[in-house]
Amino acid sequence: MAKDTIAISVFKARCLAVLKRVKETGQPIVVTKFGEPVAEIVPPTPPLPPEPWLGKLKGRAKITGDIVAPVVNPEDWEAIGS
């Protein structure tokens, strides 16, 4: 597939329109000076999707005890309640 070309003088006069066309069509355009390529206008790369934050810390913490049992022994509760 041949790339579209545009003379540098025409590009200078129609810069914004050319950039808009490249973005909308996704087709690159080669800018030439006296028939020789001097630049290539290419569409921007699409942005990366945001990284999910749920589960981001998975595997970074370590449970080192019983997380269900109360911190205070039940025998101590009776002593406190007496």
Side-chain angles (χ1 to χ4, degrees):
M1 177 172 122
K3 294 181 185 174
D4 291 339
T5 61
I6 187 170
I8 198 164
S9 58
V10 177
F11 174 72
K12 183 178 174 185
R14 301 179 185 161
C15 177
L16 294 177
V18 172
L19 293 176
K20 182 179 177 183
R21 176 181 162 200
V22 169
K23 183 178 180 185
E24 289 175 354
T25 64
Q27 299 298 317
I29 295 178
V30 176
V31 180
T32 61
K33 184 174 184 179
F34 301 116
E36 293 293 317
V38 292
E40 184 174 7
I41 311 299
V42 295
T45 56
L48 296 175
E51 195 172 316
W53 60 272
L54 287 175
K56 191 169 184 129
L57 297 177
K58 182 178 180 182
R60 296 193 182 208
K62 182 178 179 183
I63 299 173
T64 59
D66 187 359
I67 63 171
V68 178
V71 176
V72 181
N73 289 332
E75 294 98 30
D76 294 340
W77 286 356
E78 293 175 20
I80 294 171
S82 307

